[in-house]
């Protein structure tokens, strides 16, 4: 049963629609990421759930209770801000205790709970430090402990890691996920980092211009994007514009090439323009002329980027068709491929790739 | 240790002289009594005058009232502006400097016209003086508090506290005030010093405040005026120290919320 329900929520600032008819539900203990570019309405929705912002229309329901008009003080939700927002005049321990004191919890219980939370985030040694004596990562751990201390019904995080550097970000995101799973707390997590969303979430809501473009598990979002926006916002995507030669035979023309695809959209007819969506890592180097299940292209390498474990290749398809991005294992060169600018290489990709109608 | 350059020493010394020399000269002059008098004669005659104590009491009361009015009016107003209507800040800033632009005579005439029409106890001259001082000290109060609020993340801290179920009183006393303590003090000091030396408004409303008394003394006894200036100087520092002490012992204990 859904624990947190968001029904047809809409919010407009002057003429700017920040959130437009968004609906989704979260089960108890589910971790849902709100992923989208800057200005797409993620924060606005999160603030509506927290009660800092009123929706113009729609309802927020928590555990069967409609909280749409309830002030934030009474919602019992934990919030973690991008700017940490720790009280500068209080120690880490007093920050964590704040939400317990407002709820008039007896003092000995407060002490125990503060210790428990600080050790959960690995900071029991630094209980008496003030925020300015803590690193950014430590401050955000305190903020997480503070949000969790009063046992909130829902945990809300607004880009909690975006002010931290890369290594701490990766560590801390693993830790947030671990803590969230240990406590089984229903969580909304705002981010514009697709890697973060893919790594942490049970499900992802992809935002674009205030709308939910797609809602699904990380695998669904990555493997079966339902819109061009999602396909290129989450991961990289080659989008090759082709023309249908024969719908019945499943053939399309890309430049001078004839390619085979397994599934064309139902509503296209011969001569229509379609897009092939191919992830860079789905394109293989080399070509076996006997393998009839693969499409073959020749690519002139324009640029080789060393990415550590992988090589990123940008190239141009020989015979027309546009640019192509490849993502190949780093040892590809050692195995005989000639990946340097100007070289021409054979590449293949499967016939079972996604094909959509071309957007006009 | 970083060595200071000759230039910065020079600037420091010049600045020091600029402040110290007039003070020393005034003090020295206040001790130059005529023959047959002890050198502290000017001081005893001031401290024995009833007028001195009366005017001091009046100005102290007024200064405290102005500080309290400022705190009660300006802190919540500025906080609210930061939290809810940040787009109004330029207007509030504009209004806050109006008292600088309006000459005291206009202010006093306005007050008299307004209150003379009869607002019961509000029409008392003392209330008028208090009101005028409240207005005059507004810019100092507002500027200081504005600086304090600017340096804290008002919105996020307030929302963090709200999200944890805090009431508005708790937010004010445990989150806002402790974090702007320095600026509150700054504003209070400025207001206090301003009112202690104020002359124009009180003389027009016919009050013998400390400022008026200083001027009158200056017109009649030269050494006495110098002695009075030194006494005023010491007094202001004394009260500033008391305010500092009070604030340290009240706000931080609230803020520590033990
Ligand atoms: N208080 C406000 N007044 C006016 N417009 C606002 C307000 N808050 C948000 N907006 C507008 O609503 C839109 C959505 O903003 P929101 O902060 O929700 O985006 P976001 O997805 O969180 O972006 P980011 O990743 O940059 O934080 C933006 O175009 C923004 O300009
Ligand atoms: Mg945002």
């Amino acid at each position: 049963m859904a624990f947190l329900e968001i029904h047809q929520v809409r919010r407009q600032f002057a003429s700017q629609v920040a959130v437009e008819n968004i609906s989704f539900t979260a089960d108890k203990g589910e971790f849902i990421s709100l992923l989208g570019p800057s200005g797409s309405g993620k924060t606005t929705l999160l603030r509506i759930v927290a009660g800092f912002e009123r929706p113009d229309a729609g309802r927020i329901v928590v555990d069967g209770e409609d909280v749409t008009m309830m002030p934030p003080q009474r919602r019992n939700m934990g919030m973690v801000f991008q700017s940490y927002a720790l009280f500068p005049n209080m120690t880490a321990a007093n920050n964590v205790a704040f939400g317990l004191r407002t709820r008039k919890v007896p003092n000995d219980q407060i002490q125990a709970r503060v210790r428990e939370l600080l050790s959960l985030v690995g900071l029991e040694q630094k209980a008496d430090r003030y925020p300015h004596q803590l690193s950014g990562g430590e401050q955000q751990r305190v903020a997480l402990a503070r949000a969790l201390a009063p046992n909130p019904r829902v945990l809300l995080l607004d880009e909690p890691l975006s002010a931290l550097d890369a290594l701490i970000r990766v560590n801390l995101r693993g830790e947030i996920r671990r803590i969230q799973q240990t406590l089984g707390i229903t969580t909304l997590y705002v981010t514009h980092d697709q890697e973060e969303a893919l790594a942490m979430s049970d499900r992802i809501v992809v935002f674009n211009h205030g709308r939910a473009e797609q809602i699904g598990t990380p695998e669904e979002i990555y493997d079966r994007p339902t819109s061009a926006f999602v396909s290129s916002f989450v991961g990289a995507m080659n989008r090759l514009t082709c023309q249908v030669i024969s719908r019945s035979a499943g053939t399309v023309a890309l430049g001078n090439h004839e390619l085979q695809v397994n599934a064309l959209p139902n509503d296209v007819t011969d001569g229509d323009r379609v897009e092939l969506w191919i992830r860079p890592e789905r394109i293989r180097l080399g070509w076996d002329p006997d393998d009839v299940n693969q499409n073959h292209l020749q690519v002139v390498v324009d640029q080789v980027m060393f990415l550590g474990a992988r090589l990123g290749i940008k190239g141009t398809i020989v015979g027309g068709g546009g640019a192509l991005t490849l993502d190949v294992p780093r040892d590809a060169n050692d195995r005989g491929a000639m990946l340097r600018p100007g070289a021409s290489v054979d590449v293949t990709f499967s016939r079972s790739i996604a094909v959509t109608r071309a957007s006009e | 240790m970083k060595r200071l350059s000759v230039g910065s020493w020079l600037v420091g010394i010049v600045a020091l002289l600029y402040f110290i020399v007039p003070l020393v000269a005034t003090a020295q002059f206040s001790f130059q009594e005529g023959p047959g008098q002890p050198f502290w004669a000017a001081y005893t005659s001031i401290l024995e005058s009833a007028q001195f104590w009366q005017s001091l009491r009046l100005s102290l009361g007024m200064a405290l009232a102005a500080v309290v009015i400022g705190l009660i009016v300006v802190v919540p107003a500025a906080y609210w502006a930061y939290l809810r209507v940040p787009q109004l800040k330029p207007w509030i800033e504009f209004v806050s400097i109006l008292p600088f632009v309006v000459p005291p005579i206009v202010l006093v005439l306005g007050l008299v016209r307004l209150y003379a029409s009869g607002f019961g106890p509000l029409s008392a001259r003392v209330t008028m003086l208090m009101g005028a001082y409240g207005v005059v000290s507004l810019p100092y109060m507002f500027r200081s508090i504005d600086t304090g609020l600017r340096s804290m993340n008002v919105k996020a801290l307030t929302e963090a506290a709200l999200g944890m179920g805090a009431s508005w009183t708790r937010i004010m006393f445990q989150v806002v005030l402790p974090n702007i303590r320095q600026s509150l003090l700054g504003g209070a000091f400025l207001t206090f010093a301003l009112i202690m030396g104020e002359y124009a408004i009180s003389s027009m409303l016919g009050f013998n405040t400390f400022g008026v008394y200083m001027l009158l003394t200056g017109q009649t006894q030269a050494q006495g005026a110098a002695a009075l200036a030194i006494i005023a100087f010491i007094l202001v520092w004394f009260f500033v120290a008391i305010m500092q002490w009070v604030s340290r012992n009240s706000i931080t204990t609230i803020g520590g919320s033990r």
Side-chain angles (χ1 to χ4, degrees), chain A residues 127-141:
Chain A
D128 294 325
R129 299 264 190 104
Y130 283 88
H132 70 92
Q133 299 168 318
L134 296 168
S135 73
E138 289 168 341
Q139 289 186 50
Q140 201 55 295
R141 285 163 197 265

Side-chain angles (χ1 to χ4, degrees), chain A residues 65-99:
Chain A
E65 180 188 12
D66 189 326
V67 300
T68 317
M69 289 299 148
M70 194 184 269
Q73 293 98 312
R74 293 181 36 224
R75 291 196 186 194
N76 193 15
M77 294 186 179
M79 179 107 179
V80 177
F81 300 80
Q82 179 179 0
S83 60
Y84 320 139
L86 293 179
F87 305 124
N89 56 312
M90 301 181 201
T91 60
N94 278 330
N95 264 283
V96 177
F98 190 90

